[in-house]
Amino acid sequence: MNQKHKMTITHLFTHALEICESFLRQPRIMAEKIYQKHKMTITHLFTYALVICAYFACQSMIKAEKMTLSLEGQLVPICAYIVLAVSLNLTVGISGELSLGHAGFMYVGAITGVIASMWMRYAFTEESAFFLFFENMNIDFALVRMLISLIVAGVFAGIVGFIIGIPVLRLRGDYLAIVTLAFGEIIRNIMTCLYVAVNKKTGALNFTFNNSDIPSKDFKLFIKGPTGITGNSPKIATFVIGIGLVLFTLLIVQNLINSRTGRAIKACRDNRIAAESMGLNVTKYKMIAFVTSACLAGMAGALYAANFSSVVPSKFSIDTSILILVFVVLGGLGNILGSVISATVLTLLPELLREFDDYRMLVYVVVLILTMLITNSPIVKSLIGAIKEGAKKLFARKNTENGANS
Amino acid sequence: MITFLTYLINGLNIGSVYAVIALGYTMVYGVAKMLNFAHGDVIMVGAFLAYCVCAYLGLHPIIAVLGAVIGCTILGILIERLAYKPLRQATSLAVLITAIGMSYFLQNMAQLIWGSDTKSFPSIIQGDAIVLFKTVQDGVTKTLTLSPINILTMASCFIIMIALTLFINKTKMGKAMRCVSEDKGAAELMGINVNLTISVTFAIGSALAAVAGILLCASNYAPLSPTTGSLPGIKAFTAAVFGGIGSIPGAMLGGILLGLIENLGKAYVSSELADAFVFGILIVVLLVKPTGLLGKKIHEKV
């Protein structure tokens, strides 16, 4: 008797489990299907959500006064670096062209952005119609100045990117890398010879390559050749604008990648000749990626420059281009979320590890080399392949089971 | 006229240094088909090694040169074995990024070992400058001199160039190098040890880099610091591309032309924009003749 009862109970139990599972299975399959179908969209939404969450986390930390001053000072540069990394990823990861002159576009953006904001500061007095218009609408004029300087920086960096892109994108591979590097250095070299002053009364700008040409009366010299950008105060860049720029960049880049144009760009990267024979205008698509990237880098430069009262030109040297490249490579070529995370972590890490400052760059490059060696090692590749294969098999079996049951 | 000739001699001098560096770039590019970005920093390591032997051990400059050459040769082989060899099958982007990483690795290691302050390089050759020409104009005496280091630089550049050409054309290893640069797979099938050939190429390139580093610092073109090699390295690469990368006479021609252009540009155009001028020329050359002055045209196979 006892034995019989035991059997019945076991039967009942297994039936109950099956019923439960079938209830659970349906939503799980649905979720899986949705995930497979909208994989990209979900990843993108996750990226936005992550940035917004990070924003609120930082804001609440500032409110609760839990954040150190040095960390708070890093918030805007982090935003700038994220934008730079994401935009470089568009060139290197998506378009497949190694650009080593990204800091050059950043510099163009920084200079033009500062010029625009300084001009607006002195050209529009508190009585001018333009100023009053925003005053009446209850908008802070500093915000307007920042936004307009971002736009100006983006436009100018985009124009420079286009001019550089015409010769550069005709070249391939290593040549392209070295020419972008050369252009980055040329931009820096020219910019370090530039002096710009603004008339404090009328807002008239005075550009010159010779320091002594500038009349001292009424003029404020704010771009001083080799000393870089000086006297750019008060700071008009805020964390909100920084996050806004990050979201804007993500919106542009992620939508571009997923569009018809983005697929064409990727096709040109994967096989130039095949893409050409399919009738794609390779130069055009490479140019779209290059100019967009330059544009966003310029905006990041304007944001970066507006956060500091003075910036030296060495901030925009090849080292910075390489640093951004490290962000991109470690985050994963072509992986936007990866760029965002690696830019944040790698900018924060030295802040947190102040005492290891001497070894910082060394650790960076060792990690960079190891990443390249490991991801290209045949052993690791076959291992990843095996794991993927195993996962696929497991997944396939589950699916067939599901199919048989339903 | 004398001022012009002085600029010309200076240009030839720095051009010879560029040419020696560019030879290293061009050989590695020709054989391994990779852009060895760390080459510029091997120059710096070579100069530092020579400096150490001279300043700390107080030995004769010739021993210092030998020490630097041997040290850099070992370093070059090590870099190739550890960082580049595992990436033989990888994309050129991956190799380039690794090379950039290697360059920064060497720079930072040098900074940790020797500090970031600049050091004054000991003079490796003594002697009076030879006066070639002397004029007195409006009471001002102008002389055209050729210092011993100028002669040493140009002479060593010339000797290296000839020795390398003979090595490539007359020896068995040179033949192997030409084969590998032509077709790696076919060379392997013909029984050529490709790995050994590439290692030898790196060894020769790095030995040249050591010589170039010593010449660069001894001519007082750059103070000795961990970043000494980066800009001359990039300029020498520019020279190699200018002359046609992969071609040895091209590297020589490109290096000397680049040195002349840079120095004359500095003198007659603008001293601040000299670098921009040099890179501008690189871009123009690449646009007009993408394979450089003496480069071969590459046909793309589908």
PDB file of all heavy atoms in Angstrom, chain A residues 98 167 172 174-175 178-179 183 189 273 319 322 361 365 372-373 376, chain B residues 83 87 93-94 96 98 100 104 108 237 245 272 275-276 286-287 300:
ATOM      1  N   LEU A  98      41.896  52.766 -39.495  1.00  0.00           N
ATOM      2  CA  LEU A  98      42.598  53.182 -38.281  1.00  0.00           C
ATOM      3  C   LEU A  98      42.956  54.652 -38.376  1.00  0.00           C
ATOM      4  O   LEU A  98      43.769  55.051 -39.197  1.00  0.00           O
ATOM      5  CB  LEU A  98      43.858  52.344 -38.084  1.00  0.00           C
ATOM      6  CG  LEU A  98      44.637  52.676 -36.824  1.00  0.00           C
ATOM      7  CD1 LEU A  98      43.782  52.473 -35.603  1.00  0.00           C
ATOM      8  CD2 LEU A  98      45.874  51.831 -36.719  1.00  0.00           C
ATOM      9  N   PRO A 167      41.578  63.449 -49.315  1.00  0.00           N
ATOM     10  CA  PRO A 167      42.796  62.695 -49.645  1.00  0.00           C
ATOM     11  C   PRO A 167      42.944  61.395 -48.857  1.00  0.00           C
ATOM     12  O   PRO A 167      43.367  60.383 -49.412  1.00  0.00           O
ATOM     13  CB  PRO A 167      43.917  63.668 -49.297  1.00  0.00           C
ATOM     14  CG  PRO A 167      43.359  64.594 -48.311  1.00  0.00           C
ATOM     15  CD  PRO A 167      41.909  64.711 -48.625  1.00  0.00           C
ATOM     16  N   ARG A 172      44.836  53.355 -48.188  1.00  0.00           N
ATOM     17  CA  ARG A 172      44.373  52.166 -47.483  1.00  0.00           C
ATOM     18  C   ARG A 172      45.327  51.766 -46.380  1.00  0.00           C
ATOM     19  O   ARG A 172      46.527  52.036 -46.457  1.00  0.00           O
ATOM     20  CB  ARG A 172      44.246  51.002 -48.453  1.00  0.00           C
ATOM     21  CG  ARG A 172      43.031  51.184 -49.327  1.00  0.00           C
ATOM     22  CD  ARG A 172      43.021  50.232 -50.464  1.00  0.00           C
ATOM     23  NE  ARG A 172      42.268  50.816 -51.545  1.00  0.00           N
ATOM     24  CZ  ARG A 172      41.951  50.158 -52.643  1.00  0.00           C
ATOM     25  NH1 ARG A 172      42.349  48.935 -52.795  1.00  0.00           N
ATOM     26  NH2 ARG A 172      41.252  50.757 -53.569  1.00  0.00           N
ATOM     27  N   ASP A 174      47.805  50.873 -43.647  1.00  0.00           N
ATOM     28  CA  ASP A 174      48.840  51.551 -42.871  1.00  0.00           C
ATOM     29  C   ASP A 174      49.060  52.978 -43.345  1.00  0.00           C
ATOM     30  O   ASP A 174      49.328  53.869 -42.558  1.00  0.00           O
ATOM     31  CB  ASP A 174      50.162  50.782 -42.980  1.00  0.00           C
ATOM     32  CG  ASP A 174      50.032  49.394 -42.392  1.00  0.00           C
ATOM     33  OD1 ASP A 174      49.091  49.184 -41.600  1.00  0.00           O
ATOM     34  OD2 ASP A 174      50.844  48.531 -42.726  1.00  0.00           O
ATOM     35  N   TYR A 175      48.956  53.190 -44.655  1.00  0.00           N
ATOM     36  CA  TYR A 175      49.150  54.531 -45.188  1.00  0.00           C
ATOM     37  C   TYR A 175      48.112  55.479 -44.624  1.00  0.00           C
ATOM     38  O   TYR A 175      48.400  56.604 -44.268  1.00  0.00           O
ATOM     39  CB  TYR A 175      49.053  54.529 -46.713  1.00  0.00           C
ATOM     40  CG  TYR A 175      50.260  53.963 -47.396  1.00  0.00           C
ATOM     41  CD1 TYR A 175      50.259  52.694 -47.935  1.00  0.00           C
ATOM     42  CD2 TYR A 175      51.413  54.721 -47.506  1.00  0.00           C
ATOM     43  CE1 TYR A 175      51.370  52.186 -48.565  1.00  0.00           C
ATOM     44  CE2 TYR A 175      52.533  54.217 -48.129  1.00  0.00           C
ATOM     45  CZ  TYR A 175      52.509  52.948 -48.663  1.00  0.00           C
ATOM     46  OH  TYR A 175      53.616  52.456 -49.269  1.00  0.00           O
ATOM     47  N   ILE A 178      48.964  56.462 -41.072  1.00  0.00           N
ATOM     48  CA  ILE A 178      50.069  57.408 -40.930  1.00  0.00           C
ATOM     49  C   ILE A 178      49.649  58.795 -41.417  1.00  0.00           C
ATOM     50  O   ILE A 178      50.071  59.813 -40.877  1.00  0.00           O
ATOM     51  CB  ILE A 178      51.328  56.880 -41.642  1.00  0.00           C
ATOM     52  CG1 ILE A 178      52.568  57.442 -40.975  1.00  0.00           C
ATOM     53  CG2 ILE A 178      51.377  57.206 -43.100  1.00  0.00           C
ATOM     54  CD1 ILE A 178      52.912  56.762 -39.715  1.00  0.00           C
ATOM     55  N   VAL A 179      48.771  58.849 -42.426  1.00  0.00           N
ATOM     56  CA  VAL A 179      48.356  60.165 -42.918  1.00  0.00           C
ATOM     57  C   VAL A 179      47.416  60.847 -41.932  1.00  0.00           C
ATOM     58  O   VAL A 179      47.503  62.056 -41.715  1.00  0.00           O
ATOM     59  CB  VAL A 179      47.738  60.046 -44.319  1.00  0.00           C
ATOM     60  CG1 VAL A 179      47.088  61.337 -44.735  1.00  0.00           C
ATOM     61  CG2 VAL A 179      48.813  59.700 -45.318  1.00  0.00           C
ATOM     62  N   PHE A 183      48.074  64.406 -40.316  1.00  0.00           N
ATOM     63  CA  PHE A 183      47.103  65.503 -40.292  1.00  0.00           C
ATOM     64  C   PHE A 183      46.864  65.983 -38.867  1.00  0.00           C
ATOM     65  O   PHE A 183      46.753  67.194 -38.623  1.00  0.00           O
ATOM     66  CB  PHE A 183      45.784  65.066 -40.927  1.00  0.00           C
ATOM     67  CG  PHE A 183      45.705  65.433 -42.370  1.00  0.00           C
ATOM     68  CD1 PHE A 183      45.569  64.472 -43.347  1.00  0.00           C
ATOM     69  CD2 PHE A 183      45.757  66.759 -42.754  1.00  0.00           C
ATOM     70  CE1 PHE A 183      45.503  64.808 -44.680  1.00  0.00           C
ATOM     71  CE2 PHE A 183      45.691  67.106 -44.084  1.00  0.00           C
ATOM     72  CZ  PHE A 183      45.566  66.124 -45.043  1.00  0.00           C
ATOM     73  N   ASN A 189      50.080  71.653 -35.014  1.00  0.00           N
ATOM     74  CA  ASN A 189      51.168  72.582 -35.308  1.00  0.00           C
ATOM     75  C   ASN A 189      50.630  73.948 -35.714  1.00  0.00           C
ATOM     76  O   ASN A 189      51.130  74.992 -35.276  1.00  0.00           O
ATOM     77  CB  ASN A 189      52.011  71.996 -36.453  1.00  0.00           C
ATOM     78  CG  ASN A 189      53.449  72.405 -36.353  1.00  0.00           C
ATOM     79  OD1 ASN A 189      53.731  73.560 -36.110  1.00  0.00           O
ATOM     80  ND2 ASN A 189      54.351  71.463 -36.530  1.00  0.00           N
ATOM     81  N   ILE A 273      36.202  45.252 -52.141  1.00  0.00           N
ATOM     82  CA  ILE A 273      35.979  44.928 -53.550  1.00  0.00           C
ATOM     83  C   ILE A 273      34.571  44.389 -53.775  1.00  0.00           C
ATOM     84  O   ILE A 273      33.879  44.792 -54.719  1.00  0.00           O
ATOM     85  CB  ILE A 273      37.054  43.933 -54.015  1.00  0.00           C
ATOM     86  CG1 ILE A 273      38.422  44.607 -53.938  1.00  0.00           C
ATOM     87  CG2 ILE A 273      36.793  43.460 -55.430  1.00  0.00           C
ATOM     88  CD1 ILE A 273      39.568  43.661 -54.014  1.00  0.00           C
ATOM     89  N   ASP A 319      49.406  61.377 -28.156  1.00  0.00           N
ATOM     90  CA  ASP A 319      49.148  60.575 -26.962  1.00  0.00           C
ATOM     91  C   ASP A 319      47.655  60.454 -26.691  1.00  0.00           C
ATOM     92  O   ASP A 319      47.168  59.387 -26.333  1.00  0.00           O
ATOM     93  CB  ASP A 319      49.833  61.209 -25.746  1.00  0.00           C
ATOM     94  CG  ASP A 319      51.332  61.052 -25.809  1.00  0.00           C
ATOM     95  OD1 ASP A 319      51.829  60.727 -26.904  1.00  0.00           O
ATOM     96  OD2 ASP A 319      52.004  61.255 -24.782  1.00  0.00           O
ATOM     97  N   ILE A 322      46.052  58.144 -29.117  1.00  0.00           N
ATOM     98  CA  ILE A 322      46.350  56.756 -28.762  1.00  0.00           C
ATOM     99  C   ILE A 322      45.501  56.325 -27.573  1.00  0.00           C
ATOM    100  O   ILE A 322      44.961  55.221 -27.540  1.00  0.00           O
ATOM    101  CB  ILE A 322      47.844  56.599 -28.418  1.00  0.00           C
ATOM    102  CG1 ILE A 322      48.712  57.091 -29.546  1.00  0.00           C
ATOM    103  CG2 ILE A 322      48.165  55.168 -28.020  1.00  0.00           C
ATOM    104  CD1 ILE A 322      49.022  56.136 -30.605  1.00  0.00           C
ATOM    105  N   MET A 361      50.397  54.526 -17.439  1.00  0.00           N
ATOM    106  CA  MET A 361      50.511  54.360 -18.882  1.00  0.00           C
ATOM    107  C   MET A 361      51.073  52.977 -19.200  1.00  0.00           C
ATOM    108  O   MET A 361      50.656  52.317 -20.150  1.00  0.00           O
ATOM    109  CB  MET A 361      51.449  55.457 -19.398  1.00  0.00           C
ATOM    110  CG  MET A 361      51.074  56.144 -20.679  1.00  0.00           C
ATOM    111  SD  MET A 361      49.374  56.275 -21.083  1.00  0.00           S
ATOM    112  CE  MET A 361      49.499  56.235 -22.853  1.00  0.00           C
ATOM    113  N   VAL A 365      49.370  50.136 -21.608  1.00  0.00           N
ATOM    114  CA  VAL A 365      49.892  49.557 -22.849  1.00  0.00           C
ATOM    115  C   VAL A 365      50.088  48.051 -22.723  1.00  0.00           C
ATOM    116  O   VAL A 365      49.878  47.324 -23.677  1.00  0.00           O
ATOM    117  CB  VAL A 365      51.186  50.251 -23.330  1.00  0.00           C
ATOM    118  CG1 VAL A 365      50.906  51.657 -23.728  1.00  0.00           C
ATOM    119  CG2 VAL A 365      52.273  50.185 -22.293  1.00  0.00           C
ATOM    120  N   MET A 372      45.411  42.460 -27.527  1.00  0.00           N
ATOM    121  CA  MET A 372      45.584  42.143 -28.945  1.00  0.00           C
ATOM    122  C   MET A 372      46.103  40.724 -29.109  1.00  0.00           C
ATOM    123  O   MET A 372      45.652  39.969 -29.965  1.00  0.00           O
ATOM    124  CB  MET A 372      46.583  43.101 -29.603  1.00  0.00           C
ATOM    125  CG  MET A 372      46.116  44.506 -29.864  1.00  0.00           C
ATOM    126  SD  MET A 372      44.400  44.779 -30.079  1.00  0.00           S
ATOM    127  CE  MET A 372      44.141  44.248 -31.716  1.00  0.00           C
ATOM    128  N   LEU A 373      47.080  40.323 -28.261  1.00  0.00           N
ATOM    129  CA  LEU A 373      47.667  38.992 -28.387  1.00  0.00           C
ATOM    130  C   LEU A 373      46.634  37.915 -28.067  1.00  0.00           C
ATOM    131  O   LEU A 373      46.529  36.909 -28.766  1.00  0.00           O
ATOM    132  CB  LEU A 373      48.875  38.848 -27.459  1.00  0.00           C
ATOM    133  CG  LEU A 373      50.113  39.650 -27.836  1.00  0.00           C
ATOM    134  CD1 LEU A 373      51.247  39.348 -26.892  1.00  0.00           C
ATOM    135  CD2 LEU A 373      50.534  39.357 -29.267  1.00  0.00           C
ATOM    136  N   ASN A 376      43.787  37.531 -30.585  1.00  0.00           N
ATOM    137  CA  ASN A 376      44.200  37.008 -31.882  1.00  0.00           C
ATOM    138  C   ASN A 376      44.876  35.647 -31.786  1.00  0.00           C
ATOM    139  O   ASN A 376      45.311  35.093 -32.785  1.00  0.00           O
ATOM    140  CB  ASN A 376      45.146  37.991 -32.562  1.00  0.00           C
ATOM    141  CG  ASN A 376      44.396  39.142 -33.171  1.00  0.00           C
ATOM    142  OD1 ASN A 376      43.633  38.958 -34.105  1.00  0.00           O
ATOM    143  ND2 ASN A 376      44.560  40.316 -32.616  1.00  0.00           N
TER     144      ASN A 376
ATOM    145  N   ALA B  83      55.878  39.961 -29.281  1.00  0.00           N
ATOM    146  CA  ALA B  83      54.681  40.733 -29.598  1.00  0.00           C
ATOM    147  C   ALA B  83      54.181  40.518 -31.021  1.00  0.00           C
ATOM    148  O   ALA B  83      52.974  40.478 -31.244  1.00  0.00           O
ATOM    149  CB  ALA B  83      54.955  42.211 -29.371  1.00  0.00           C
ATOM    150  N   LEU B  87      51.119  37.323 -33.943  1.00  0.00           N
ATOM    151  CA  LEU B  87      50.095  38.011 -34.736  1.00  0.00           C
ATOM    152  C   LEU B  87      50.335  37.871 -36.241  1.00  0.00           C
ATOM    153  O   LEU B  87      49.798  38.646 -37.016  1.00  0.00           O
ATOM    154  CB  LEU B  87      50.066  39.499 -34.371  1.00  0.00           C
ATOM    155  CG  LEU B  87      49.628  39.812 -32.942  1.00  0.00           C
ATOM    156  CD1 LEU B  87      49.758  41.290 -32.665  1.00  0.00           C
ATOM    157  CD2 LEU B  87      48.202  39.378 -32.713  1.00  0.00           C
ATOM    158  N   LEU B  93      45.398  45.738 -38.778  1.00  0.00           N
ATOM    159  CA  LEU B  93      44.976  46.670 -37.729  1.00  0.00           C
ATOM    160  C   LEU B  93      45.450  46.192 -36.371  1.00  0.00           C
ATOM    161  O   LEU B  93      45.995  46.954 -35.573  1.00  0.00           O
ATOM    162  CB  LEU B  93      43.452  46.803 -37.751  1.00  0.00           C
ATOM    163  CG  LEU B  93      42.873  47.879 -36.857  1.00  0.00           C
ATOM    164  CD1 LEU B  93      43.212  49.241 -37.398  1.00  0.00           C
ATOM    165  CD2 LEU B  93      41.374  47.728 -36.728  1.00  0.00           C
ATOM    166  N   ALA B  94      45.275  44.875 -36.114  1.00  0.00           N
ATOM    167  CA  ALA B  94      45.691  44.314 -34.826  1.00  0.00           C
ATOM    168  C   ALA B  94      47.190  44.454 -34.648  1.00  0.00           C
ATOM    169  O   ALA B  94      47.671  44.827 -33.573  1.00  0.00           O
ATOM    170  CB  ALA B  94      45.277  42.848 -34.750  1.00  0.00           C
ATOM    171  N   LEU B  96      49.171  46.648 -36.071  1.00  0.00           N
ATOM    172  CA  LEU B  96      49.525  48.064 -35.916  1.00  0.00           C
ATOM    173  C   LEU B  96      49.259  48.536 -34.495  1.00  0.00           C
ATOM    174  O   LEU B  96      50.079  49.234 -33.888  1.00  0.00           O
ATOM    175  CB  LEU B  96      48.731  48.901 -36.917  1.00  0.00           C
ATOM    176  CG  LEU B  96      49.186  50.337 -37.089  1.00  0.00           C
ATOM    177  CD1 LEU B  96      50.634  50.385 -37.488  1.00  0.00           C
ATOM    178  CD2 LEU B  96      48.341  51.042 -38.114  1.00  0.00           C
ATOM    179  N   THR B  98      49.182  46.699 -31.815  1.00  0.00           N
ATOM    180  CA  THR B  98      50.187  46.086 -30.946  1.00  0.00           C
ATOM    181  C   THR B  98      51.500  46.851 -31.040  1.00  0.00           C
ATOM    182  O   THR B  98      52.168  47.090 -30.030  1.00  0.00           O
ATOM    183  CB  THR B  98      50.430  44.631 -31.357  1.00  0.00           C
ATOM    184  OG1 THR B  98      49.171  44.008 -31.508  1.00  0.00           O
ATOM    185  CG2 THR B  98      51.227  43.896 -30.318  1.00  0.00           C
ATOM    186  N   ILE B 100      51.914  49.996 -31.797  1.00  0.00           N
ATOM    187  CA  ILE B 100      51.767  51.260 -31.074  1.00  0.00           C
ATOM    188  C   ILE B 100      51.895  51.010 -29.579  1.00  0.00           C
ATOM    189  O   ILE B 100      52.571  51.748 -28.854  1.00  0.00           O
ATOM    190  CB  ILE B 100      50.405  51.908 -31.410  1.00  0.00           C
ATOM    191  CG1 ILE B 100      50.396  52.379 -32.859  1.00  0.00           C
ATOM    192  CG2 ILE B 100      50.117  53.062 -30.490  1.00  0.00           C
ATOM    193  CD1 ILE B 100      49.035  52.793 -33.338  1.00  0.00           C
ATOM    194  N   TYR B 104      54.715  52.578 -26.887  1.00  0.00           N
ATOM    195  CA  TYR B 104      54.447  53.247 -25.607  1.00  0.00           C
ATOM    196  C   TYR B 104      55.023  52.467 -24.440  1.00  0.00           C
ATOM    197  O   TYR B 104      55.431  53.041 -23.434  1.00  0.00           O
ATOM    198  CB  TYR B 104      52.950  53.476 -25.442  1.00  0.00           C
ATOM    199  CG  TYR B 104      52.534  54.740 -26.113  1.00  0.00           C
ATOM    200  CD1 TYR B 104      52.447  54.808 -27.493  1.00  0.00           C
ATOM    201  CD2 TYR B 104      52.304  55.878 -25.382  1.00  0.00           C
ATOM    202  CE1 TYR B 104      52.132  55.979 -28.130  1.00  0.00           C
ATOM    203  CE2 TYR B 104      51.984  57.056 -25.999  1.00  0.00           C
ATOM    204  CZ  TYR B 104      51.891  57.106 -27.370  1.00  0.00           C
ATOM    205  OH  TYR B 104      51.591  58.276 -27.987  1.00  0.00           O
ATOM    206  N   ASN B 108      57.550  54.118 -21.749  1.00  0.00           N
ATOM    207  CA  ASN B 108      57.256  54.171 -20.323  1.00  0.00           C
ATOM    208  C   ASN B 108      58.272  53.406 -19.501  1.00  0.00           C
ATOM    209  O   ASN B 108      58.586  53.798 -18.377  1.00  0.00           O
ATOM    210  CB  ASN B 108      55.845  53.650 -20.064  1.00  0.00           C
ATOM    211  CG  ASN B 108      54.817  54.671 -20.450  1.00  0.00           C
ATOM    212  OD1 ASN B 108      54.644  55.645 -19.750  1.00  0.00           O
ATOM    213  ND2 ASN B 108      54.180  54.486 -21.594  1.00  0.00           N
ATOM    214  N   PHE B 237      59.666  57.450 -40.765  1.00  0.00           N
ATOM    215  CA  PHE B 237      58.663  56.658 -41.466  1.00  0.00           C
ATOM    216  C   PHE B 237      58.129  57.445 -42.653  1.00  0.00           C
ATOM    217  O   PHE B 237      57.945  56.911 -43.756  1.00  0.00           O
ATOM    218  CB  PHE B 237      57.523  56.278 -40.526  1.00  0.00           C
ATOM    219  CG  PHE B 237      56.453  55.537 -41.248  1.00  0.00           C
ATOM    220  CD1 PHE B 237      56.679  54.234 -41.643  1.00  0.00           C
ATOM    221  CD2 PHE B 237      55.269  56.141 -41.600  1.00  0.00           C
ATOM    222  CE1 PHE B 237      55.728  53.548 -42.354  1.00  0.00           C
ATOM    223  CE2 PHE B 237      54.318  55.455 -42.311  1.00  0.00           C
ATOM    224  CZ  PHE B 237      54.548  54.164 -42.687  1.00  0.00           C
ATOM    225  N   ILE B 245      58.006  52.780 -49.674  1.00  0.00           N
ATOM    226  CA  ILE B 245      58.320  51.856 -48.591  1.00  0.00           C
ATOM    227  C   ILE B 245      58.620  50.466 -49.147  1.00  0.00           C
ATOM    228  O   ILE B 245      58.006  50.023 -50.111  1.00  0.00           O
ATOM    229  CB  ILE B 245      57.204  51.855 -47.523  1.00  0.00           C
ATOM    230  CG1 ILE B 245      57.740  51.272 -46.228  1.00  0.00           C
ATOM    231  CG2 ILE B 245      55.971  51.127 -47.984  1.00  0.00           C
ATOM    232  CD1 ILE B 245      57.090  51.829 -45.019  1.00  0.00           C
ATOM    233  N   GLU B 272      58.266  77.548 -36.813  1.00  0.00           N
ATOM    234  CA  GLU B 272      57.234  76.906 -36.006  1.00  0.00           C
ATOM    235  C   GLU B 272      56.448  75.885 -36.818  1.00  0.00           C
ATOM    236  O   GLU B 272      55.955  74.901 -36.287  1.00  0.00           O
ATOM    237  CB  GLU B 272      56.262  77.957 -35.454  1.00  0.00           C
ATOM    238  CG  GLU B 272      56.866  78.798 -34.340  1.00  0.00           C
ATOM    239  CD  GLU B 272      56.315  80.193 -34.336  1.00  0.00           C
ATOM    240  OE1 GLU B 272      55.815  80.652 -35.381  1.00  0.00           O
ATOM    241  OE2 GLU B 272      56.394  80.831 -33.270  1.00  0.00           O
ATOM    242  N   ASP B 275      57.296  71.217 -38.832  1.00  0.00           N
ATOM    243  CA  ASP B 275      56.729  69.868 -38.781  1.00  0.00           C
ATOM    244  C   ASP B 275      55.523  69.745 -39.701  1.00  0.00           C
ATOM    245  O   ASP B 275      55.359  68.757 -40.414  1.00  0.00           O
ATOM    246  CB  ASP B 275      56.325  69.517 -37.351  1.00  0.00           C
ATOM    247  CG  ASP B 275      57.537  69.287 -36.477  1.00  0.00           C
ATOM    248  OD1 ASP B 275      58.650  69.222 -37.035  1.00  0.00           O
ATOM    249  OD2 ASP B 275      57.371  69.182 -35.253  1.00  0.00           O
ATOM    250  N   ALA B 276      54.679  70.760 -39.666  1.00  0.00           N
ATOM    251  CA  ALA B 276      53.502  70.752 -40.523  1.00  0.00           C
ATOM    252  C   ALA B 276      53.924  70.681 -41.988  1.00  0.00           C
ATOM    253  O   ALA B 276      53.310  69.996 -42.801  1.00  0.00           O
ATOM    254  CB  ALA B 276      52.657  72.000 -40.276  1.00  0.00           C
ATOM    255  N   LEU B 286      51.946  61.182 -51.154  1.00  0.00           N
ATOM    256  CA  LEU B 286      51.067  60.009 -51.154  1.00  0.00           C
ATOM    257  C   LEU B 286      49.896  60.177 -52.102  1.00  0.00           C
ATOM    258  O   LEU B 286      49.388  59.217 -52.664  1.00  0.00           O
ATOM    259  CB  LEU B 286      50.555  59.738 -49.742  1.00  0.00           C
ATOM    260  CG  LEU B 286      51.539  59.029 -48.835  1.00  0.00           C
ATOM    261  CD1 LEU B 286      50.920  58.762 -47.490  1.00  0.00           C
ATOM    262  CD2 LEU B 286      51.980  57.722 -49.457  1.00  0.00           C
ATOM    263  N   LEU B 287      49.468  61.438 -52.273  1.00  0.00           N
ATOM    264  CA  LEU B 287      48.328  61.662 -53.160  1.00  0.00           C
ATOM    265  C   LEU B 287      48.736  61.566 -54.618  1.00  0.00           C
ATOM    266  O   LEU B 287      48.012  61.025 -55.445  1.00  0.00           O
ATOM    267  CB  LEU B 287      47.703  63.019 -52.881  1.00  0.00           C
ATOM    268  CG  LEU B 287      46.963  63.078 -51.560  1.00  0.00           C
ATOM    269  CD1 LEU B 287      46.385  64.445 -51.360  1.00  0.00           C
ATOM    270  CD2 LEU B 287      45.873  62.030 -51.526  1.00  0.00           C
ATOM    271  N   GLU B 300      46.248  44.760 -57.013  1.00  0.00           N
ATOM    272  CA  GLU B 300      45.391  44.088 -56.048  1.00  0.00           C
ATOM    273  C   GLU B 300      44.721  42.895 -56.714  1.00  0.00           C
ATOM    274  O   GLU B 300      44.167  43.002 -57.805  1.00  0.00           O
ATOM    275  CB  GLU B 300      44.338  45.074 -55.549  1.00  0.00           C
ATOM    276  CG  GLU B 300      43.717  44.639 -54.270  1.00  0.00           C
ATOM    277  CD  GLU B 300      42.868  45.748 -53.680  1.00  0.00           C
ATOM    278  OE1 GLU B 300      42.943  46.884 -54.173  1.00  0.00           O
ATOM    279  OE2 GLU B 300      42.148  45.464 -52.741  1.00  0.00           O
TER     280      GLU B 300
END
